Amino acid sequence: MTVKGATEGRQPSAQYECYRCGFKTTTVTGRQAVIEFTAKAAEGAAAHRAVCPAAPQEITQ
């Protein structure tokens, strides 16, 4: 997850990116949107890992 703080003339922003497969969420901007996004980021990342095509496959016997 990338979170960028507010700088002069820019609003804070956040985005989740999977470095294995390249999946990216849309970028959210604005203080409240970033707060809500980061509050749910772990849940969203876990959901993506469960379906990520580039994630290592578990060995089952």
Side-chain angles (χ1 to χ4, degrees), residues 10-52:
R10 290 189 158 175
Q11 294 187 22
S13 63
Q15 177 185 50
Y16 172 78
E17 179 179 1
C18 177
Y19 295 113
R20 290 182 176 160
C21 72
F23 168 79
K24 293 181 183 180
T25 63
T26 56
T27 302
V28 297
T29 57
R31 185 173 184 259
Q32 189 61 37
V34 170
I35 290 169
E36 293 172 9
F37 182 87
T38 54
K40 298 179 181 178
E43 182 181 304
H48 174 74
R49 281 192 300 273
V51 297
C52 179

